[in-house]
Amino acid sequence: QVQVMESGGGSVQSGGSVRLSCKVSGYTDEGLCIGWFRQTPGQEREGVAAIDSDGISTYKEAVKGRFSVSQDIAKTTLDLQANNLKPEDTGTYYCGAERCMASRYLLRDFVNIRHWGQGIQVTVSS
């Protein structure tokens, strides 16, 4: 059984930083892609950043240059370093894991993701 565990997050002021960590366990298939997604009340979930099994990462345009992802050697974790945070980055952040061909597809087609974490809150105050 695949499990996705998230940690990190919290409340920061505008311009601050947070680090989110995601650990995927129990995945036995090939082509594991892991991504971070966020959602605010009344809004649809959106992709923030993802990485595929080739180590290629994809970012939402609005976070490029501010957010970065990194993995462990086993490629079963995905850390999201979020810098220079803005109030519009506020939301519940979810880690999702699924087999995919490329990270850009994971971000775009996240409705197909079967394995999700419980979500963690990030609040950025102005």
Side-chain angles (χ1 to χ4, degrees), residues 3-8 18-25 32-37 47-53 55-59 67-82 93-98 103 106-107 113 116 120:
Q3 291 188 320
V4 180
M5 299 293 293
E6 304 142 334
S7 61
V18 295
R19 189 173 184 88
L20 309 180
S21 295
C22 175
K23 169 68 176 178
V24 180
S25 60
L32 176 63
C33 299
I34 309 174
W36 282 99
F37 304 80
V48 175
I51 196 164
D52 57 39
S53 58
I56 297 174
S57 55
T58 301
Y59 296 88
F67 290 17
S68 63
V69 294
S70 60
Q71 281 194 300
D72 65 347
I73 289 180
K75 297 185 179 181
T76 58
T77 65
L78 188 66
D79 287 356
L80 177 70
Q81 178 66 40
Y93 282 68
Y94 297 90
C95 181
E98 186 56 75
S103 57
L106 191 78
L107 277 190
I113 294 175
W116 290 99
I120 49 178

Side-chain angles (χ1 to χ4, degrees), residues 105-125:
Y105 299 135
L106 191 78
L107 277 190
R108 184 191 69 186
D109 303 328
F110 61 86
V111 293
N112 297 324
I113 294 175
R114 293 172 294 167
H115 313 296
W116 290 99
Q118 76 282 4
I120 49 178
Q121 182 67 29
V122 174
T123 302
V124 185
S125 58

